[in-house]
Amino acid sequence: MVVGAGIIGCAIAREITRYLPDVVVLDKENDVACGASKANNAEVHSGIGEDAGTLKQKLNVRGNRMYDEFVAGLGVDFRRQGLLIVVTPRSVPPEVAEKMGPEELDELLRVKIPEGIVAYGKAAGIEGLRILNREEVLAREPNVTPEAVSGVFDPHYGLVCPYKLTIALAEHAVINGARVILNTEVTGIRVEDGEVRGVITNRGEIATGLVINAAGVFADEVAEMAGAGGFRIHPRKGATLLFDRQVTSEYVRSSVALFRMPGMKKERSKGGGAMPTVEGNLQLGPTAVEVEDKYDTSISAEEIEEIFERFHYLLPNFPKEAVISAFSGVRAPTHEEDFVIEASERVRGFVNVAGIQSPGLASAPAIVEMVMGFLHELGIPREPRPDFDPIRPTTPRFAELDDRERDSLIRKDPRWGNIVCRCEYVTEAEVLAAIHSLVPATDMDGVKRRTRTGMGRCQGGFCGHRVAAILARELGIPVTEVTKSGGGSPLYLGENKEFLQPGRSGHA
Ligand SMILES: Cc1cc2nc3c(=O)[nH]c(=O)nc-3n(C[C@H](O)[C@H](O)[C@H](O)COP(=O)(O)OP(=O)(O)OC[C@H]3O[C@@H](n4cnc5c(N)ncnc54)[C@H](O)[C@@H]3O)c2cc1C
């Protein structure tokens, strides 16, 4: 039994089905990928930004190498766009720079820092980093600050859509026998004689001898339920700005980050940067703010200004007016700032996969590999099933088809010809496929994550009520019961002028 249907829980469940069809994934939300796995920067880091000697770095380096194989057969886009680390005079603290003569500073920025980055990567097992001079930096990324002195290009960095990957892993697990049970919150773990015996939920108890705790920011609380804790998670929020892909699809070719010497960063995170998404939107961010509330995904005007200010130096001409959205997610760091992946010594059958802050997405394949080591010890067979299906069938993306392919689909089913979302060119047939998929979308955000409705410039202004009407029709509910993202997020408060009708009262 896996607690938590984020990227980690779903990836572990999919892997278990290679050996055993009998696996259940539980999540308290009404869809998979509702935690950090839907609100991150989609980067498959190489490990260059992680502290040496940490489990995070080790699993990140290995996970990055495993990614092509990890996504094979899932029908999810993955590409290695690389990372450009830019070195400028601001890479060095002013108090250090002040003590240097101009030649010494120039040597530091042009030679010593880039060489240091390459050596740091090599020590972590990251080969193939390339030092670039100023001209090469600006030729690669013309929008980067003209103050660039040198740079390092890391070709291993990749991009993947994190929620599409999570959905794909969940569906692939279901194809191979898993069950994904949503709207089910784990409230206790039954432990008897030092062994896991069951999971207690808000909808009843389920017997099991094996629990994998992949509960994200709540993993410390779930571990405590079993008496298998000992670590605390302090939520750290990160906000990101998202730009219109029609404007920014070619703004940066690779991810771009400003190098800052160790000790210069105020926040405990990699420091962020400018990143494209697989779909071509520019992202700027994320911030790193300690918060009390594990559900705090608010974004303040100050945070947005902070992002603008921070990245204005690195990319002086970025198209501020093309921001279409901002989102934030909550990281799950422990006080030790490292992953906690262990089979509990106190409670047999309980496995913690906790503290999975960034680079959790990038490390996922290696995290799964490590967890499977424990699970085989705990009784999951080591021999793969001969009937494991390696392929997850996918729905075509109308926007990506040529005219002949579109015509052929429309002839078979005219709903392929009904464009629901004009910005992203999404058809009714795609929305229907999302609602009737193996892990079905049941609200507006669920449809959006699967099809991109509402992700364009108008942010749902055109398609919102069309998608709501399709959801209502297919789910057999009144449109007033359609939600944005599950309970407590109604789209409509009532019928038009309802409160003016005789005998009806309402709020002024
Ligand atoms: C702003 C930001 C940017 C990031 N950028 C990157 C990046 O570019 N690259 C990268 O590698 N990583 C990145 N990360 C980190 C990455 O998002 C996480 O490491 C990863 O998503 C963690 O996945 P998870 O499955 O452990 O957690 P989650 O996705 O949070 O899933 C945990 C699930 O457990 C469920 N759950 C919790 N408690 C219970 C309970 N009691 N009962 C039932 N269900 C429960 C939750 O509902 C949730 O669905 C970023 C994170 C943030 C916040």
Side-chain angles (χ1 to χ4, degrees):
M1 169 123 3
V2 181
V3 181
I7 181 79
I8 300 301
C10 292
I12 292 169
R14 190 274 294 257
E15 194 59 23
I16 293 174
T17 62
R18 270 187 219 281
Y19 304 90
L20 199 72
D22 187 17
V23 53
V24 173
V25 187
L26 296 180
D27 203 289
K28 61 186 173 53
E29 303 298 332
N30 71 339
D31 198 357
V32 303
C34 281
S37 299
K38 76 164 180 212
N40 61 55
N41 295 121
E43 286 198 293
V44 178
H45 304 285
S46 67
I48 190 73
E50 299 306 324
D51 289 345
T54 56
L55 181 60
K56 275 195 305 188
Q57 189 188 53
K58 185 176 148 205
L59 296 184
N60 186 174
V61 173
R62 177 147 177 78
N64 178 291
R65 285 195 202 124
M66 296 168 74
Y67 238 82
D68 298 85
E69 200 187 326
F70 182 59
V71 299
L74 291 176
V76 171
D77 293 336
F78 168 61
R79 72 179 160 89
R80 293 189 188 268
Q81 86 292 1
L83 165 72
L84 177 64
I85 305 168
V86 182
V87 183
T88 82
R90 291 205 196 172
S91 297
V92 179
E95 61 277 13
V96 174
E98 273 163 20
K99 289 188 193 133
M100 291 181 161
E103 278 173 19
E104 197 186 354
L105 181 60
D106 183 61
E107 162 101 356
L108 178 68
L109 298 175
R110 263 188 323 101
V111 183
K112 288 193 174 157
I113 288 179
E115 284 182 358
I117 296 171
V118 172
Y120 187 78
K122 243 193 186 133
I126 307 164
E127 300 285 344
L129 304 188
R130 288 200 300 275
I131 296 179
L132 307 183
N133 62 28
R134 178 176 189 276
E135 289 67 37
E136 289 167 327
V137 167
L138 294 174
R140 256 209 92 76
E141 296 292 353
N143 290 311
V144 154
T145 173
E147 284 193 22
V149 177
S150 66
V152 172
F153 185 68
D154 177 342
H156 306 291
Y157 259 64
L159 291 172
V160 70
C161 175
Y163 42 85
K164 282 198 176 161
L165 176 57
T166 305
I167 292 164
L169 286 162
E171 288 192 0
H172 198 202
V174 170
I175 287 168
N176 284 294
R179 277 196 306 149
V180 177
I181 304 179
L182 302 170
N183 299 305
T184 305
E185 178 166 3
V186 172
T187 53
I189 309 286
R190 184 169 303 286
V191 176
E192 285 167 12
D193 303 325
E195 292 190 14
V196 169
R197 291 288 158 82
V199 164
I200 302 157
T201 79
N202 59 340
R203 296 169 66 196
E205 185 165 339
I206 309 169
T208 180
L210 193 56
V211 169
I212 297 129
N213 171 17
V217 274
F218 297 95
D220 53 347
E221 295 170 37
V222 172
E224 287 302 328
M225 292 175 197
F231 53 89
R232 274 268 146 256
I233 287 173
H234 53 104
R236 183 183 296 140
K237 192 178 67 159
T240 300
L241 297 182
L242 199 65
F243 292 71
D244 183 358
R245 66 179 172 146
Q246 314 288 359
V247 182
T248 60
S249 64
E250 295 185 354
Y251 190 71
V252 285
R253 280 164 63 196
S254 53
S255 296
V256 180
L258 176 66
F259 177 79
R260 288 184 291 173
M261 273 177 64
M264 283 183 78
K265 286 185 282 178
K266 278 185 254 115
E267 71 278 13
R268 284 288 321 206
S269 80
K270 282 182 281 301
M275 300 128 305
T277 64
V278 254
E279 310 281 355
N281 305 80
L282 173 70
Q283 306 177 79
L284 289 184
T287 55
V289 183
E290 298 294 329
V291 288
E292 298 276 310
D293 179 1
K294 291 180 173 179
Y295 288 101
D296 184 352
T297 52
S298 61
I299 305 173
S300 64
E302 290 76 38
E303 276 171 283
I304 293 179
E305 257 331 298
E306 183 199 320
I307 298 175
F308 278 142
E309 265 173 40
R310 229 167 81 199
F311 295 106
H312 178 68
Y313 172 70
L314 181 61
L315 298 162
N317 305 315
F318 73 79
K320 204 171 171 178
E321 67 292 344
V323 173
I324 52 170
S325 186
F327 64 86
S328 83
V330 184
R331 304 175 183 87
T334 61
H335 289 288
E336 290 71 33
E337 298 287 342
D338 207 354
F339 296 162
V340 178
I341 304 174
E342 58 183 19
S344 171
E345 288 182 359
R346 275 171 284 161
V347 183
R348 186 175 161 78
F350 194 88
V351 178
N352 281 312
V353 194
I356 311 296
Q357 58 165 310
S358 185
L361 173 68
S363 312
I367 292 175
V368 170
E369 184 181 57
M370 185 172 173
V371 170
M372 287 310 293
F374 297 127
L375 298 185
H376 289 312
E377 290 291 318
L378 287 165
I380 299 248
R382 290 176 191 273
E383 202 54 43
R385 290 161 58 196
D387 56 343
F388 177 81
D389 185 346
I391 304 293
R392 165 191 172 249
T394 51
T395 307
R397 277 272 308 273
F398 192 76
E400 290 168 2
L401 303 178
D402 63 31
D403 284 349
R404 214 172 40 83
E405 292 166 322
R406 287 177 178 174
D407 188 52
S408 145
L409 283 176
I410 294 167
R411 279 174 200 281
K412 280 190 214 137
D413 182 344
R415 290 173 298 187
W416 280 102
N418 180 17
I419 302 290
V420 173
C421 169
R422 283 203 299 214
C423 300
E424 295 291 324
Y425 232 49
V426 183
T427 64
E428 182 182 354
E430 288 163 273
V431 174
L432 289 172
I435 297 171
H436 297 293
S437 59
L438 289 171
V439 180
T442 56
D443 59 28
M444 299 292 286
D445 283 357
V447 173
K448 181 177 177 175
R449 284 192 287 272
R450 287 161 178 81
T451 66
R452 289 189 65 80
T453 48
M455 287 205 184
R457 185 92 194 197
C458 88
Q459 290 287 292
F462 175 80
C463 67
H465 67 280
R466 289 175 170 78
V467 174
I470 298 172
L471 267 167
R473 185 185 76 208
E474 297 301 312
L475 301 180
I477 55 174
V479 76
T480 45
E481 283 180 23
V482 173
T483 63
K484 181 181 179 299
S485 53
S489 62
L491 277 189
Y492 304 101
L493 296 178
E495 285 177 27
N496 198 13
K497 299 185 183 163
E498 178 184 3
F499 303 130
L500 299 178
Q501 288 165 20
R504 306 288 287 272
S505 64
H507 304 289

